[in-house]
Amino acid sequence: MTTVLTGAPSLPALLARGAVLSAFKRPRPDAEFPRTRLVLPGARVDLARLAAYERVCGFATGADALPLTYPHVLGFPLAMRLMSARAFPLPLLGLVHTSIEVTRRTAMPATGAYEIGVHVDRLAAHRRGTEAVVVTEVRSGEDVVWESTSRYLARHRTNGPDADARTRTPAEELKPLPAVAEWRIAGDVGRRYGAASGDRNPIHLHALTARLFGFPRAIAHGMWTVARCLAAHGTPDAVRVRADFRAPVPLPGTVTYAAEGGRFELRGGDDRVHLTGEVYPLTS
């Protein structure tokens, strides 16, 4: 079933609803989940918010085309509406964004109008709980120009291995990448990114609100870390990117950006790997 929206949903209201309903959710990989596809036609970019996003993530401002990660911002309110619904079986509070894969087929003008479509593709068993696989598509006219697959993990007791395991080499088995730069991340990055993206999850804003959810300090948004890395790495117009969020980045903090060829990663001062990623140029 497809539901066409007349405007982007309100993220604060969705977060509040999801928080209230979280206590009543009983996550499991074989649970029923909403099959609705939400569609927002004619979506346009707020250029002031885009400029703020570019500044906080390290992209050049004023470019004609959207940064690779910006369409995630456009689709996130729709994803939140699905994941905060009563029929969604995973609790919104505590959901962890574990990975994202993005495909962009062409440059996307910042002044264009786009149709955004989001749906929950499936639930998958994970060694630490249950993941929801959320797919976002962005169309220009009839063509899909950008799409992503995100995985969100609800942690709970489980007795088995991943039923939907992905084939990849664990980060600890890969040779560490050469360091390119050291970044000092300010304590207000979570608030600045939240203002630009609309994602004001309490774990990213202040140490006090982060402690309510078990974090001693505020942590950076996962999508900020991958955007910051891609701003430094650079990407062609037609590209596929895969990123895995492996450990939170505490705020404030210092991290090392490392890259070689198509691979990149973000490491902490103790060489803890926070993020790994790969960039694959697409050929026609």
Side-chain angles (χ1 to χ4, degrees):
M1 181 177 71
T2 297
T3 299
V4 179
L5 306 179
T6 58
S10 167
L11 279 172
L14 295 175
L15 183 59
R17 182 177 71 177
V20 170
L21 293 175
S22 288
F24 304 98
K25 303 297 181 73
R26 297 296 180 264
R28 65 181 196 278
D30 60 346
E32 286 298 317
F33 60 90
R35 309 284 174 157
T36 302
R37 180 174 183 265
L38 297 180
V39 174
L40 177 63
R44 291 190 175 273
V45 173
D46 181 323
L47 297 181
R49 284 186 63 185
L50 172 61
Y53 177 92
E54 291 169 332
R55 285 191 295 270
V56 72
C57 295
F59 292 105
T61 58
D64 292 335
L66 295 176
L68 176 64
T69 48
Y70 196 77
H72 175 84
V73 173
L74 300 178
F76 188 64
L78 281 68
M80 279 287 289
R81 174 163 162 169
L82 291 173
M83 293 189 293
S84 64
R86 186 179 300 275
F88 185 71
L90 309 186
L92 187 65
L93 289 185
L95 272 188
V96 178
H97 197 180
T98 57
S99 71
I100 187 169
E101 184 171 315
V102 173
T103 300
R104 182 177 64 190
R105 293 179 173 83
T106 186
M108 301 173 62
T111 54
Y114 300 100
E115 179 185 281
I116 316 296
V118 179
H119 70 277
V120 179
D121 184 67
R122 64 189 182 277
L123 301 183
H126 185 281
R127 67 184 183 281
R128 294 183 178 176
T130 299
E131 283 185 323
V133 181
V134 179
V135 175
T136 301
E137 291 183 338
V138 180
R139 294 177 182 269
S140 178
E142 297 297 319
D143 299 324
V144 176
V145 293
W146 188 98
E147 59 188 319
S148 72
T149 301
S150 282
R151 287 172 177 258
Y152 296 92
L153 172 66
R155 296 181 180 180
H156 59 85
R157 287 190 176 185
T158 179
N159 296 322
D162 296 16
D164 193 23
R166 290 149 283 165
T167 57
R168 66 176 185 268
T169 305
E172 58 270 18
E173 295 181 11
L174 293 173
K175 179 182 177 181
L177 299 176
V180 174
E182 185 176 87
W183 296 335
R184 296 182 64 184
I185 306 175
D188 67 347
V189 159
R191 296 188 289 278
R192 290 171 57 210
Y193 182 86
S197 68
D199 182 2
R200 292 184 172 88
N201 188 317
I203 64 175
H204 304 302
L205 303 182
H206 298 277
L208 181 61
T209 53
R211 289 190 195 107
L212 298 175
F213 299 94
F215 296 95
R217 292 150 62 185
I219 62 173
H221 294 72
M223 286 304 300
W224 177 84
T225 63
V226 69
R228 183 67 185 89
C229 287
L230 290 173
H233 189 281
T235 57
D237 289 342
V239 66
R240 178 176 292 114
V241 170
R242 163 81 193 206
D244 289 284
F245 307 110
R246 299 186 178 275
V249 176
L251 299 175
T254 300
V255 294
T256 297
Y257 166 68
E260 186 173 55
R263 293 174 54 210
F264 62 90
E265 65 186 21
L266 207 60
R267 301 193 297 260
D270 55 358
D271 282 334
R272 186 182 191 189
V273 178
H274 296 290
L275 171 77
T276 61
E278 295 173 284
V279 176
Y280 307 95
L282 298 181
T283 57
S284 56

